[in-house]
Amino acid sequence: MGEVMYPVTEPGEGAAGKTGNWRWQKPIIIIDKCVKCGLCWVYCPEPAIYLDKMGYPHVNYEWCKGCGICAHECPSKAIEMVSEYE
Amino acid sequence: MYRPKIVENLGEDEWIYAGHPACHGCGAALGLRHLLKTIGKKSILVVPAGCTSIIAGTMNAATFNIPFIHTAFGAAAAVASGVAEALSKKGMDDINVVVWAGDGGTYDIGLASLSGAAERGHNILFVLDDNEAYMNTGIQRSGGTPRGAWTTTTITGKKEEKKDIMKIVLSHHVPYAATASVAYPLDFNRKVKKALGIKGFKFIHLMAPCPPGWRFETHMTIEIARRAVLSGAWILMEYENGRLRLNPPSSNMLDKRRISLEEYLMMQGRFKHVKRELLEELKRDVELRWSEIKEILEKQGKQ
């Protein structure tokens, strides 16, 4: 007998596969300019931004789709969108 | 360990996993993330057909870390009523039953079951995620599409006005009904918390811009949601036992301290074709809504 497939699914990351592959532009966080307001974390629809112990944001490029909301909402312009094709 | 205050207030637990199938810059995914943060693990989410059926994941994958029920398009409020009643019979009253329906599942197809559940007063929270058209099937017009907006079935712009769902819900005398926007997550968070503390049928109307459907760049989602509020096209308010209250920043906008409507509309490709005549008409629509609200507030002040 083969493996039985149940119609119950386990939740987990990557329901749509590696969504980082969808990205055509990449957010780069410039830590020197960051004021630790947390808005990039708040407005990330993924969520692909996590905060380290000091409160600085980092991007999880495995899932980040590169929509650019974080760069647009950043009040100190500490996030730059860089093309993936350069 | 340092955390910004807004992060502390919203909570760091995530019940939605990254890598879900929502589009780039999806307003609904952001709204869902904040909704699940607030309702927490002890909740059951009921979702009719729509974008969220896809965001929830396909076979062998699931995005949400809480119990989740897919229902037929028109049945979300009816299924949630059953779940809520079964839970209360079992004495499990501490579990939140939450419906997350799109505008199709609320304005058009789900209206009958919504009305039934509101009239019977089941203990559920109904969140309407309004992206103003049937986005999942390819941007067809819905009852929630505003006048003038382009969709694939209204190529020259919709001729009819957006249905006033808030008035329909309020006519059922529900204990709590509110509007919210994805650009103001703290306000949304507070409203969901308040709604969960009230027994009976609660309704929250959340505006969630949709980049492919509204035809704008993916990074503008929050900017457009914010401009909708600042221009007065979208009003943040709450009705508690029928008593209206405006919430900031809408509460400061009664005497026209707003940005112009063009600044909101002209950023979206779906309003690109709008000429001056129609624009004046749309502005009149907004003014009319505000004068209605002013009237209600004045009437309340006299009581």
Side-chain angles (χ1 to χ4, degrees), chain A residues 5 9 11-16 19 22 36-37 41-47 51-55 63 65 67-68 72-73, chain B residues 1-4 11 17-20 22 24-26 30 33-34 37 60 62-65 183 185 218-219 222-223 226:
Chain A
M5 233 173 140
T9 49
E13 283 178 327
T19 50
W22 300 10
K36 297 200 267 193
C37 64
W41 177 90
V42 169
Y43 287 129
C44 180
E46 203 43 40
L51 304 173
D52 65 13
K53 271 193 183 140
M54 303 283 289
W63 311 121
K65 291 168 185 160
C67 65
H72 188 81
E73 295 305 316
Chain B
M1 188 90 163
Y2 171 79
R3 284 290 174 265
Y17 280 115
H20 54 66
H24 304 67
C26 176
L30 180 60
R33 181 180 161 221
H34 287 300
K37 265 182 193 304
N60 278 347
T63 301
F64 304 116
N65 202 6
T218 55
H219 63 273
I222 305 298
E223 182 73 37
R226 191 183 298 123

Side-chain angles (χ1 to χ4, degrees), chain B residues 75-137:
Chain B
V79 170
S81 313
V83 173
E85 286 309 302
L87 287 174
S88 88
K89 281 279 180 303
K90 285 191 156 191
M92 296 154 91
D93 284 323
D94 55 335
I95 296 177
N96 311 313
V97 183
V98 181
V99 181
W100 172 273
D103 47 313
T106 311
Y107 279 97
D108 305 339
I109 305 170
L111 187 60
S113 67
L114 164 72
S115 172
E119 183 259 325
R120 294 187 300 267
H122 295 292
N123 191 21
I124 58 179
L125 168 62
F126 195 106
V127 183
L128 157 57
D129 139 50
D130 192 359
N131 49 24
E132 303 194 325
Y134 289 87
M135 298 309 182
N136 184 38
T137 49

Side-chain angles (χ1 to χ4, degrees), chain B residues 41 71 100 146 163 239 254 264 290:
Chain B
K41 202 173 175 64
T71 76
W100 172 273
K163 203 188 273 185
Y239 284 90
L254 260 180
Y264 163 55
W290 277 96

Side-chain angles (χ1 to χ4, degrees), chain A residues 18-83:
Chain A
K18 295 261 183 280
T19 50
N21 296 342
W22 300 10
R23 197 170 59 235
W24 64 274
Q25 51 174 4
K26 185 179 183 176
I28 307 278
I29 298 179
I30 306 153
I31 295 291
D32 294 347
K33 284 196 201 168
C34 178
V35 292
K36 297 200 267 193
C37 64
L39 283 183
C40 51
W41 177 90
V42 169
Y43 287 129
C44 180
E46 203 43 40
I49 290 184
Y50 60 95
L51 304 173
D52 65 13
K53 271 193 183 140
M54 303 283 289
Y56 286 113
H58 297 274
V59 181
N60 189 338
Y61 291 111
E62 202 172 347
W63 311 121
C64 171
K65 291 168 185 160
C67 65
I69 289 179
C70 50
H72 188 81
E73 295 305 316
C74 181
S76 61
K77 302 265 172 279
I79 305 179
E80 258 177 38
M81 297 307 287
V82 182
S83 171

Side-chain angles (χ1 to χ4, degrees), chain B residues 1-36:
Chain B
M1 188 90 163
Y2 171 79
R3 284 290 174 265
K5 203 149 190 216
I6 190 164
V7 177
E8 270 177 16
N9 286 341
L10 291 171
E12 265 201 272
D13 297 329
E14 299 286 357
W15 306 107
I16 177 168
Y17 280 115
H20 54 66
C23 307
H24 304 67
C26 176
L30 180 60
L32 263 168
R33 181 180 161 221
H34 287 300
L35 174 75
L36 298 189

